[in-house]
């Protein structure tokens, strides 16, 4: 115990020296691409440093669509502007991603509902589990769903493959809610409503996954890349959308 209590922390210089020794001891380290003779290029080992790990950690979170405010906390950044740079997506890449995914939009039954880039961007808005084409909600930037974000049962719901992880996560949350409702001996209509939502979202996700699986590997890879770009663009949007029920206004006391 005494030994553990008196053990000193690792100094930054010790960590960098150890990291350098480890990086230099790796026999072959290849960068992306090849030289004119087709041999793999050497990776620049001077780029391996502790800060690079931190940077990669943040970038991977941003690419996976971790919300901006969550990543800001994980990175312990003082300002969200510092975190924002991990979400930078050029307009050109975003446009290409929209073009790619607009062809793979489905409806709330999981049936194909491809649309043009213009429709994707101008006549729909991103809500938590997919695109929404309900005009008043589009006008309100996604903050005015008339039926409290029950997208799986809504004729205006238009998800594309970039929403698959969000849909899968939501299915898990709904299942957990159903378990809780059952344990609480909630009324049948509560369980029935949750089950119906789970079934509807599962159908959307299943059909989307099956359609993707039937595509050639190269096209699937393009869709995955486009999905990552759009998830990142959405996650970097400081305008947070949550399926919350607005609190009723309280009358000010005289
Ligand atoms: S339920 Fe979903 S798709 Fe339907 S109007 Fe509301 S946000 Fe849009």
């Amino acid at each position: 115990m005494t030994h553990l209590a008196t053990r000193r922390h690792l100094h930054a210089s010790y960590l960098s020296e150890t990291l350098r020794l480890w990086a230099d001891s790796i026999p072959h380290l290849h960068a992306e691409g090849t030289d004119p003779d087709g041999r793999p290029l050497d990776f620049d080992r001077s780029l391996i440093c502790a800060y690079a790990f931190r940077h990669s950690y943040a970038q991977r979170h941003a690419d996976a669509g971790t919300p901006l405010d969550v990543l800001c906390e994980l990175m312990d950044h003082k300002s969200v502007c510092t975190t924002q740079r991990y979400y930078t997506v050029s307009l050109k890449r975003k446009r290409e991603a929209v073009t790619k995914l607009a062809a793979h939009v489905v409806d709330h039954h999981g049936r194909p509902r491809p649309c043009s880039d213009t429709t994707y961007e101008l006549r729909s808005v991103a809500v938590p589990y997919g695109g929404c084409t309900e005009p008043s909600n589009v006008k309100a930037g996604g903050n005015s769903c008339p039926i409290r974000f029950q997208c799986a049962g809504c004729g205006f719901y238009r998800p594309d493959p970039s929403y698959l992880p969000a849909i899968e996560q939501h299915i898990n949350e709904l299942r957990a809610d159903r378990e809780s409702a059952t344990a609480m001996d909630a009324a049948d209509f509560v369980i029935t409503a949750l089950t119906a939502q789970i079934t509807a979202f599962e159908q959307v996700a299943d059909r989307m996954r099956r359609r993707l699986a039937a595509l050639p590997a190269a096209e699937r890879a393009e869709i995955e890349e486009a999905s990552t770009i759009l998830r990142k663009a959405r996650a970097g949007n400081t305008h947070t959308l949550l399926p919350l029920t607005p609190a009723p206004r309280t009358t000010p006391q005289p």
Side-chain angles (χ1 to χ4, degrees), residues 108-126:
H108 67 297
H109 294 295
R111 294 178 301 216
R113 293 295 292 263
C115 59
S116 69
D117 313 8
T118 325
T119 308
Y120 188 104
E121 289 201 281
L122 295 182
R123 299 204 195 133
S124 70
V125 66

Side-chain angles (χ1 to χ4, degrees), residues 18-37:
T18 309
L19 192 59
R20 176 70 25 233
L21 284 173
W22 170 70
D24 291 344
S25 72
I26 300 171
H28 304 290
L29 211 47
H30 296 150
E32 278 180 32
T34 52
D35 67 13
D37 299 324

Side-chain angles (χ1 to χ4, degrees), residues 127 132 134 137 145-147 149-151 154 156-157:
V127 288
C132 166
E134 200 284 319
N137 196 29
C145 170
I147 58 168
F149 296 93
Q150 299 194 65
C151 302
C154 178
F156 292 104
Y157 183 44

Side-chain angles (χ1 to χ4, degrees), residues 185-227:
D185 200 20
D188 284 350
F189 74 85
V190 176
I191 313 284
T192 306
L194 286 167
T195 303
Q197 280 202 66
I198 292 167
T199 308
F201 273 120
E202 279 175 343
Q203 176 170 283
V204 169
D206 276 1
R207 288 189 169 174
M208 211 153 25
R209 269 193 238 105
R210 265 190 273 134
R211 209 163 291 118
L212 287 174
L215 293 173
E219 192 173 351
R220 257 202 324 274
E222 282 175 18
I223 291 173
E224 192 40 58
E225 196 192 335
S227 297

Side-chain angles (χ1 to χ4, degrees), residues 28-108:
H28 304 290
L29 211 47
H30 296 150
E32 278 180 32
T34 52
D35 67 13
D37 299 324
R39 285 181 303 238
L41 295 170
D42 281 335
F43 187 82
D44 180 358
R45 290 166 196 250
S46 69
L47 297 176
I48 301 174
C49 61
Y51 178 75
F53 292 146
R54 178 175 162 83
H55 183 73
S56 305
Y57 170 81
Q59 194 59 66
R60 280 170 190 230
H61 265 293
D63 289 350
T66 300
L68 177 65
D69 53 340
V70 174
L71 185 55
C72 183
E73 265 197 58
L74 286 174
M75 295 297 287
D76 206 16
H77 286 153
K78 286 197 174 62
S79 162
V80 87
C81 299
T82 312
T83 323
Q84 185 93 51
R85 65 173 192 250
Y86 290 104
Y87 292 84
T88 306
V89 174
S90 75
L91 202 58
K92 180 170 173 277
R93 289 189 77 205
K94 190 178 166 201
R95 196 156 295 282
E96 286 167 358
V98 164
T99 307
K100 187 90 226 154
L101 292 183
H104 297 276
V105 171
V106 299
D107 66 11
H108 67 297

